[in-house]
Each structure stands twice: as C-alpha cells, then as structure tokens.
C-alpha cells in the first residue's frame, strides 16, 4: 500500500510568497541563482542554494555552504518570513501555464514506499548530487524542495480534487515567468482521511526530483540506524511530495545540439544518415508524431523518419534511444551522451529558436528537435524497473520551491 500523511508545513507569509518562491535548486546554476536573488533578501535560493551568499571561490560542497543554509532558514523563521501551520494538513497546489491547469496534492509520502519500489523511478542519480542534498537535509533538519510525483488517474479521485478546488486559496500569484501558482489548505479531517484512503492501492511515479527522494531516504535510513527504537511515525520517515494525476501533466522534449559532424563533410554525413532514415527538407521544426525527428543543419530543417522497424522494448522504442543508437553513436561518434562534451541538451521550453541560434552561431553544426516522450512511455519504463536515457523528459511547469518546507522534528 502507498502511504501519505498530513504535516505542519512551514510556509511563507502571504505578502512575501511571490518574493520567496523560486525555481527548484537543480534547474539553475549557482551564478544564475545569484543574479535572480540579487537584492532580494527573501529569495528561497538563500536556503536552497546557500552558496549564493558566499564567495564564488568557495566549493559548493564545503561545510560552510550547508551551515549558511541552516543559518538562513533559522533567520527566515525568526524574522517570520516563514510561519508553521499549527495543525497538520494536506495542501492543494495548482499551476496554470498557457491556460492549462494541473493540480497536485501536497503531502508527506513514506520512505518505505520508496525503498519497496512503490514509488518508482526512471532516472539514475549521481552520487555527488545525492550526497549534496543528503547533507543539505541533514544540516537544515528539513526538506526544502518537494518531489514531483504522479499516479495513474482513473477518475476515482476526481471528486476529492474537485472538493479541494472549492477551498479558497491562501496563495494566488503569477511568477516572473508568467505561470500562476495557487495553494489551498486542506484542513478538514474527513477530506484528509478520504485522500489518504484513496491512495492505498496506487503506485507513485517520480516525474522530477530523483535526487531529493533518494537523499531524503538516505537521511531517514541513517537516522533509523542511530535510533533503532524508532516507531516509523517520526517526521524523518517521510518526505515532501506533490502528487498529480498523470493525465494533467505536460512533458516537453529534451532537444540536442552537436558541435561537429565527427570529421564528415555535410554530404558524407547526410549519406550516412540516409542508410537508416528517410530524409527530406521540409522546414518542419518540431516533429508531428513519435518516431519522427527534425534536424537543423546549414540553415535548413529536415524531417527524419526511421527506415527500420521500431522495437517494442520500453527503452529501445524511445525516440531519444533511437536517435542515440542509429545516429548519434554510429554516425557522430557520441558513445556516452552523459559525458561527451560535444553534445548539449536543450529543454523544450526554450524552443527550436534556441537550436537555430546555437547552430547559426557556428558553435554547433547540427541540432535535433524531438517529439516529447509520452507519460505512458515513462510509466512503461518505470514499471519495467528500467532507467531512461539521460535527458529524456522535461516536465513543465516546474514546482516552485519555498511554498512548503517539511521540518523533520
């Protein structure tokens, strides 16, 4: 069974919420965070990326970084930028982007469900990043960023979400990127219990926040070792999540640009591609269907369609894997896209104009626009206990950090 529970969120004062809320710590660099937070003492980056308050020469994994985060969180509480709810509650977090709304239930989810694979993953975590967030959570004694989760919606919870949507929002603001964010407090015990019971038979899937989930679990397991008489009810046994119905989510493509043609002339390169793909100049910048690719080369857009049978394997049928197996590796010589410095990944939110800019600048020679991975493909990979290729999905909009903090005692 999947377990969720209510908690007493540490939340911003209403008049400060727009100044506090920021993008997740891992979608901006330290330098970008410094610029965003400049002149804003309320920015949540002072807590989620505390290196911005230190010299750029300081190693981001230095002890002083985590100590600064702890000091800043304490300051936010003492200055009452944050206030903790007196009663445990669930929360409804709504986001509206380009007229499309998605509604997520904010709750604490069990680390035991993560360990037992009832919370399913589709990405590998990097040891350095996992260690970083583990130290951050441990030092601050708090989880400062939610894990973006979803479940397979079958209309069974629709009435519960509709009831929650009738609650008056405590926050309603439009962020600098134009996305509207609304938060409602679900304090009614009957509705809370109904939500908790409704998820008993569900599997949760991580959309975004694999390192946050793994790190929170690391902290909990470490504390269990230190406290062998733990009951399971302690706050460290739970991590902060926002749970969405799968059919409300939007996945954008993760596009790619490559710096050179692996020593090939344009004619040789096109000839090699034609061995596995039908190739046509179409001017189409974004694929219209799965298993089609748009390629920008020498100021022209081509459409590529595989000239081979597509595998039924949940990994090999992904467009990112098809491109890797049939073009990036054999033609462009990119064996490991995780480490090869010749390839760059561009989130679909930046549009195909960014691909054109990169290639037209001369820094890159070719770029590929992909069709987004579908939510059903992600579920198939996670259910098969497999791992997506790197940079396969870009969920948008991103959850704002700083709206909810989960204190571990």
């Amino acid at each position: 069974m999947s377990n969720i529970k209510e908690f007493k969120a540490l939340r911003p004062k209403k008049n400060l919420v727009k100044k506090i809320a920021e993008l997740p710590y891992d979608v901006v660099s330290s330098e970008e965070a410094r610029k965003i937070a400049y002149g804003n003492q309320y920015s949540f980056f002072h807590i989620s990326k505390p290196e911005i308050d230190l010299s750029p020469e300081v190693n981001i994994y230095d002890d002083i970084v985590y100590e600064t985060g702890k000091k800043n969180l304490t300051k936010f509480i003492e200055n009452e930028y944050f206030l903790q709810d007196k009663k445990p509650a669930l929360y409804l977090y709504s986001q509206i982007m380009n007229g499309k709304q998605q509604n997520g239930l904010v709750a604490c989810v069990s680390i035991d469900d993560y360990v037992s694979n009832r919370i399913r993953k589709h990405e590998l975590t990097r040891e350095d990043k996992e260690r970083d967030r583990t130290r951050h959570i441990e030092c601050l004694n708090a989880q400062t960023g939610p894990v973006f989760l979803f479940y397979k919606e079958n209309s069974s919870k629709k009435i519960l979400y509709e009831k929650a949507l009738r609650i008056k929002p405590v926050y309603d603001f439009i962020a600098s990127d134009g996305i509207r964010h609304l938060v409602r407090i679900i304090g009614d015990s009957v509705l809370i219990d109904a939500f908790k019971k409704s998820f008993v038979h569900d599997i949760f899937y991580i959309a975004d926040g694999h390192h946050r989930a793994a790190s929170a679990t690391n902290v909990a397991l470490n504390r269990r070792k230190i406290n062998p008489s733990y009951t399971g009810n302690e706050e460290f046994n739970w991590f902060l999540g926002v749970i969405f119905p799968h059919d409300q989510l939007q996945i954008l493509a993760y596009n790619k640009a490559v710096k050179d043609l692996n020593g090939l002339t344009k004619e040789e390169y096109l000839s090699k591609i034609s061995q596995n793909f039908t190739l046509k100049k179409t001017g189409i910048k974004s694929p219209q269907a799965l298993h089609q690719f748009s390629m920008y080369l020498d100021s022209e857009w081509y459409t590529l369609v595989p000239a081979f049978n597509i595998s039924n394997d949940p990994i090999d049928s992904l467009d990112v894997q098809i491109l890797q197996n049939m073009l990036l590796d054999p033609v462009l010589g990119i064996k490991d896209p995780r480490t090869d410095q010749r390839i760059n990944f561009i989130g679909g939110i930046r549009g195909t104009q960014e691909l054109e800019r990169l290639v037209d600048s001369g820094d890159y020679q070719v770029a590929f626009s992909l069709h987004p991975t579908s939510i059903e493909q992600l579920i198939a990979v996670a259910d098969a206990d497999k791992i997506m290729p790197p940079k396969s999905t870009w969920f948008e909009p991103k959850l704002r950090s700083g709206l909810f903090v989960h204190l571990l005692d």
Side-chain angles (χ1 to χ4, degrees):
M1 59 184 291
S2 291
N3 294 288
I4 67 170
K5 81 175 188 73
E6 63 272 44
F7 69 108
K8 294 188 285 189
L10 187 66
R11 300 185 293 107
K13 269 188 175 179
K14 187 173 183 179
N15 65 318
L16 296 179
V17 64
K18 187 173 180 178
K19 295 179 180 178
I20 287 176
E22 295 288 10
L23 288 167
Y25 78 97
D26 52 356
V27 301
V28 296
S29 67
S30 299
E31 186 55 36
E32 287 170 330
R34 280 191 182 91
K35 291 178 180 177
I36 293 169
Y38 181 78
N40 179 9
Q41 64 182 342
Y42 306 109
S43 170
F44 196 69
F45 283 140
H46 295 293
I47 293 167
S48 63
K49 292 186 76 68
E51 67 269 19
I52 69 170
D53 293 328
L54 302 168
S55 167
E57 283 72 42
V58 173
N59 187 303
I60 61 171
Y61 303 136
D62 193 288
D63 288 347
I64 194 172
V65 174
Y66 306 100
E67 292 163 3
T68 300
K70 181 178 181 180
K71 180 183 71 176
N72 288 342
L73 177 60
T74 299
K75 183 178 77 172
F76 272 49
I77 295 171
E78 290 177 347
N79 291 349
E80 296 189 346
Y81 304 164
F82 277 143
L83 297 171
Q84 187 173 22
D85 287 330
K86 298 190 182 303
K87 292 178 57 179
L90 299 176
Y91 305 83
L92 191 73
Y93 178 19
S94 302
Q95 298 171 296
I96 303 174
M97 175 181 172
N98 299 328
K100 178 179 171 58
Q101 180 166 328
Q102 59 186 40
N103 307 298
L105 183 72
V106 183
C108 282
V109 298
S110 169
I111 67 111
D112 290 310
D113 288 336
Y114 180 88
V115 172
S116 66
N117 203 37
R118 290 194 64 83
I119 299 173
R120 294 188 178 164
K121 304 164 279 293
H122 68 269
E123 286 184 8
L124 292 172
T125 56
R126 281 177 43 181
E127 184 179 352
D128 57 338
K129 291 187 174 183
E130 193 174 318
R131 185 166 54 247
D132 165 56
R133 280 304 105 171
T134 299
R135 293 178 67 192
H136 188 271
I137 294 169
E138 193 67 80
C139 186
L140 274 65
N141 198 38
Q143 295 151 3
T144 59
V147 179
F148 187 163
L149 302 166
F150 68 89
Y151 67 96
K152 289 189 278 190
E153 171 59 39
N154 60 9
S155 298
S156 63
K157 303 172 186 60
K158 185 177 180 181
I159 191 170
L160 298 179
Y161 278 84
E162 288 176 347
K163 285 182 178 179
L165 282 166
R166 292 197 284 268
I167 299 170
K168 183 180 178 180
V170 291
Y171 304 141
D172 185 349
F173 67 97
I174 297 175
S176 58
D177 55 7
I179 297 171
R180 185 179 175 190
H181 302 261
L182 302 94
V183 172
R184 296 169 169 89
I185 300 175
I186 305 171
D188 177 70
S189 60
V190 174
L191 186 53
I192 289 173
D193 287 343
F195 265 116
K196 291 164 71 173
K197 291 176 182 176
S198 74
F199 283 107
V200 165
H201 300 295
D202 282 280
I203 297 293
F204 293 148
Y205 298 86
I206 298 178
D208 211 352
H210 285 77
H211 289 93
R212 278 162 263 168
S215 300
T217 302
N218 289 341
V219 171
L221 294 178
N222 288 338
R223 293 194 179 189
R224 286 180 175 184
K225 288 180 182 177
I226 297 170
N227 303 284
S229 60
Y230 75 92
T231 66
N233 295 320
E234 299 87 356
E235 290 297 325
F236 63 72
N237 294 291
W238 305 81
F239 64 80
L240 182 60
V242 187
I243 309 162
F244 291 89
H246 85 281
D247 56 1
Q248 291 184 5
L249 301 183
Q250 177 180 213
I251 302 179
L252 303 183
Y254 234 132
N255 298 320
K256 307 178 192 316
V258 180
K259 292 184 177 181
D260 59 68
L261 298 183
N262 195 29
L264 301 171
T265 65
K266 175 183 174 181
E267 291 71 25
E268 290 170 337
Y269 170 68
L270 293 175
S271 176
K272 282 183 173 289
I273 290 177
S274 298
Q275 296 174 18
N276 287 319
F277 297 87
T278 60
L279 180 67
K280 187 182 296 185
K281 292 181 187 178
T282 62
I284 297 173
K285 300 181 180 183
S286 297
Q288 305 302 299
L290 280 173
H291 310 325
Q292 292 182 5
F293 305 86
S294 292
M295 180 179 72
Y296 188 63
L297 174 69
D298 199 16
S299 301
E300 293 183 294
W301 281 100
Y302 298 75
T303 294
L304 281 64
V305 178
F308 49 86
N309 293 327
I310 305 298
S311 169
N312 291 323
D313 181 84
I315 296 295
D316 289 337
S317 61
L318 295 172
D319 283 357
V320 289
Q321 194 66 25
I322 292 170
L323 189 69
Q324 174 62 33
N325 289 345
M326 307 305 291
L327 198 159
L328 295 178
D329 181 356
V331 179
L332 291 175
I334 295 172
K335 302 295 183 184
D336 186 353
R338 295 180 191 275
T339 58
D340 198 309
Q341 298 301 306
R342 296 166 52 228
I343 190 168
N344 192 11
F345 301 90
I346 299 93
I349 192 69
R350 297 168 71 180
T352 54
Q353 63 270 21
E354 177 65 8
L355 301 181
E356 293 175 334
R357 187 192 70 78
L358 291 172
V359 174
D360 291 345
S361 72
D363 293 333
Y364 292 80
Q365 285 200 38
V366 64
F368 302 92
S369 171
L370 280 71
H371 194 275
T373 302
S374 72
I375 199 78
E376 290 77 16
Q377 287 179 306
L378 188 157
I379 289 171
V381 170
D383 284 348
D385 200 23
K386 295 190 175 185
I387 299 299
M388 286 269 197
K391 309 295 186 184
S392 297
T393 58
W394 180 283
F395 283 88
E396 196 68 37
K398 300 295 185 187
L399 305 183
R400 288 272 161 166
S401 293
L403 298 177
F404 316 92
V405 172
H406 176 222
L407 299 177
L408 297 191
D409 56 35

